[in-house]
Amino acid sequence: MGNSAVLVVGGGIAGIQASLDLADRGLTVYLVEKSPSIGGRMAQLDKTFPTMDCSICILAPKMIECFRHSNIKLLICSEVKEVTGSAGNFKVKVLKNPRFVDTEKCTGCGACTEKCPVKVPSEFDMGMGMRKAVYMPFPQAVPRVTVIDKDNCLYFQKGVCKVCEKFCQVHAINFGQEPEEITLNVSSIILATGLELYDPKSISEYGYKRYKDVLLSLEFERLINASGPTRGKLLRLSDNKHPRRIVFIQCVGSRTQQKGFPYCSSVCCMYATKEAILIREHEPECEVYILYMDLRVFGKRFQEFVSRARDEWGIKYVNGRVAVVIEDSATKDILVRYENILEGKIAELQADLVVLCPALIPREGNKFLAKILGLELDSFGFFKTKDPLLMSVETNVEGVVVCGYCQAPKDISESVTQASAAAARAAEVAVSTVGRE
């Protein structure tokens, strides 16, 4: 028996766009998101390229529309655990994990967070900022409801505290919440699970995690964001001084067979250019270098963006392959030794801050979803489609489609476009199965 409901897995920009497209067609959408808020990676960004628009200013209205749409049912803190059936009649078991806060009562006032005595590193700020054990994931979180981190809550770990419960005037704290299993019946499934950052700790020559002033690009994105750990002030983490020279290193763990992944992550040259411009906006006197093997810029408007960065903002692009990153123990300055590819010689750059642009990789959870759905993954963990160009959203399982970075490396605009294509295909399945009844 067919139905007109669709399951969307992943609440990033691709999942949100697919959900809105389907809901506007009159279909019921179940949007499953593992974290306490929708928004995904895009919510962590400061600006988007090449327009330099505020990322959350673009994303937040879509998040709110998704939350308020009568045809969209948000399943937050939830995970898909089992799928049976076929196109037109999938039966999906979803585990809804407790957030220990009543979503119907919580007003998002923040009183519980203010009084909570426990501080732990914030995942949203990439571990550089701090959050409480009861917290709002980020200022624009949707739904605007706090969540209790069971692993760090004093009540759950030691049986003491309950300060948040005492100060919550609407009595929204509920320590007795239990995991809940929900069974959904849907016609089609859209996977939009997004991306993770490759951890380059194993590539010791870059000095990541050994030196405080060697950051990943997303860590730097939070550092320069007004809602980040330094409230947008461009400071070195080692001594809180303003950096006077910053070096970006491209292709960290990507385009290599030895350490990392052989593919290009598609967006690194562009977001490094964007972040370099932001640096010059914040600190006009700061020098910015981008060390690259090959500058991969897709499309005319992106090439113009890079040219403008070089000509108008004074960003220095250097064709070089980095050999080693070393910290001066006395000054905390970073020495970047590299091979200048054009000149064929070894050169050095002294920097106050180094930003690594790592490979962007599919989420580990893709393996589990592929197993329960019978999907094929490529050797890197991306979901395989019938044809990367002509049928880029359709998988080997009828009724299951994919979109966004979980299918292949792409930027935000491409992810949104593909999300609409996935929604259209999922709607076709839904309409055709209902029409056969």
Side-chain angles (χ1 to χ4, degrees):
M1 181 177 178
N3 66 83
S4 58
V6 179
L7 175 72
V8 178
V9 183
I13 183 59
I16 289 172
Q17 186 63 50
S19 298
L20 290 172
D21 283 5
L22 288 164
D24 287 342
R25 289 170 179 253
L27 300 174
T28 298
V29 179
Y30 297 102
L31 176 54
V32 173
E33 169 56 40
K34 190 175 183 179
S35 67
S37 171
I38 58 174
R41 290 295 185 192
M42 188 175 173
Q44 293 177 281
L45 306 181
D46 186 41
K47 299 288 193 298
T48 59
F49 61 77
T51 58
M52 302 299 285
D53 289 322
C54 168
S55 180
I56 198 67
C57 298
I58 299 169
L59 180 64
K62 288 182 178 289
M63 294 165 62
I64 295 168
E65 185 182 358
C66 203
F67 177 70
R68 292 178 175 174
H69 205 296
S70 59
N71 290 338
I72 298 177
K73 318 297 181 186
L74 289 184
L75 298 174
I76 307 296
C77 298
S78 302
E79 304 172 66
V80 175
K81 288 298 181 184
E82 184 180 316
V83 180
T84 56
S86 58
N89 190 26
F90 287 109
K91 184 175 287 186
V92 183
K93 288 184 179 180
V94 176
L95 179 65
K96 189 174 183 182
N97 296 303
R99 65 193 300 150
F100 307 107
V101 177
D102 191 322
T103 56
E104 298 297 322
K105 293 180 180 179
C106 180
T107 62
C109 70
C112 57
T113 299
E114 183 181 337
K115 299 298 182 180
C116 178
V118 178
K119 286 187 177 182
V120 295
S122 165
E123 300 88 348
F124 188 76
D125 280 334
M126 299 296 289
M128 296 187 297
M130 304 297 285
R131 63 161 173 81
K132 299 293 187 73
V134 54
Y135 66 103
M136 191 75 67
F138 54 96
Q140 301 83 9
V142 173
R144 187 167 175 74
V145 177
T146 55
V147 60
I148 293 178
D149 175 3
K150 187 176 182 179
D151 293 335
N152 290 290
C153 174
L154 289 177
Y155 172 72
F156 284 110
Q157 297 304 313
K158 298 182 179 180
V160 297
C161 194
K162 283 196 173 183
V163 167
C164 54
E165 185 180 56
K166 177 182 177 181
F167 284 94
C168 181
Q169 296 182 1
V170 295
H171 309 292
I173 304 298
N174 182 0
F175 291 107
Q177 279 187 357
E178 296 286 342
E180 179 186 357
E181 189 173 270
I182 301 169
T183 300
L184 306 173
N185 191 244
V186 298
S187 61
S188 51
I189 299 171
I190 296 178
L191 301 179
T193 54
L195 60 89
E196 291 179 350
L197 274 70
Y198 172 70
D199 186 346
K201 279 190 298 185
S202 60
I203 312 178
S204 59
E205 54 263 38
Y206 289 113
Y208 181 62
K209 290 298 183 184
R210 292 209 317 274
Y211 311 135
K212 281 188 176 182
D213 295 323
V214 177
L215 304 177
L216 295 185
S217 51
L218 193 54
E219 292 173 339
F220 182 80
E221 195 85 36
R222 295 309 304 155
L223 188 70
I224 208 167
N225 192 293
S227 68
T230 62
R231 296 295 179 260
K233 292 181 181 178
L234 187 53
L235 303 172
R236 295 204 315 180
L237 295 181
S238 62
D239 55 14
N240 287 329
K241 291 183 179 179
H242 292 275
R244 289 291 171 253
R245 178 181 287 172
I246 298 176
V247 175
F248 286 81
I249 300 177
Q250 303 301 105
C251 300
V252 175
S254 61
R255 301 184 61 219
T256 174
Q257 296 286 351
Q258 287 77 32
K259 298 178 180 179
F261 300 83
Y263 61 83
C264 170
S265 296
S266 178
V267 297
C268 309
C269 292
M270 289 302 300
Y271 74 61
T273 297
K274 174 200 71 174
E275 291 178 356
I277 292 174
L278 288 173
I279 292 167
R280 296 285 286 167
E281 286 181 344
H282 282 67
E283 300 281 347
E285 301 303 315
C286 185
E287 289 184 286
V288 186
Y289 289 80
I290 297 179
L291 294 177
Y292 69 94
M293 289 193 291
D294 295 295
L295 198 59
R296 297 198 165 187
V297 182
F298 300 87
K300 181 180 178 182
R301 63 179 181 147
F302 293 159
Q303 181 59 59
E304 290 173 350
F305 183 59
V306 169
S307 298
R308 197 165 74 246
R310 181 189 290 116
D311 300 337
E312 296 179 18
W313 292 96
I315 311 302
K316 298 176 176 64
Y317 291 86
V318 179
N319 192 196
R321 185 178 288 107
V322 174
V324 69
V325 175
I326 307 168
E327 183 185 74
D328 186 317
S329 58
T331 64
K332 297 300 181 183
D333 290 341
I334 306 293
L335 184 68
V336 180
R337 188 171 293 129
Y338 66 97
E339 176 195 359
N340 189 310
I341 296 173
L342 294 181
E343 297 179 6
K345 64 180 184 181
I346 301 298
E348 293 181 348
L349 270 174
Q350 193 163 357
D352 300 306
L353 200 64
V354 170
V355 181
L356 306 179
C357 298
L360 303 179
I361 60 178
R363 291 191 180 276
E364 187 67 22
N366 287 2
K367 295 176 183 177
F368 176 74
L369 289 173
K371 181 180 179 181
I372 63 174
L373 285 163
L375 299 177
E376 296 178 4
L377 296 176
D378 67 15
S379 57
F380 312 122
F382 293 104
F383 290 110
K384 275 188 178 181
T385 53
K386 290 184 177 179
D387 187 285
L389 294 177
L390 302 178
M391 303 178 80
S392 64
V393 301
E394 297 182 82
T395 68
N396 59 295
V397 177
E398 183 65 27
V400 180
V401 294
V402 296
C403 62
Y405 206 94
C406 68
Q407 184 264 329
K410 58 180 66 67
D411 63 22
I412 291 171
S413 60
E414 288 178 294
S415 295
V416 170
T417 300
Q418 194 176 49
S420 292
R425 182 67 192 111
E428 285 178 10
V429 175
V431 172
S432 65
T433 54
V434 171
R436 290 200 297 265
E437 294 181 2

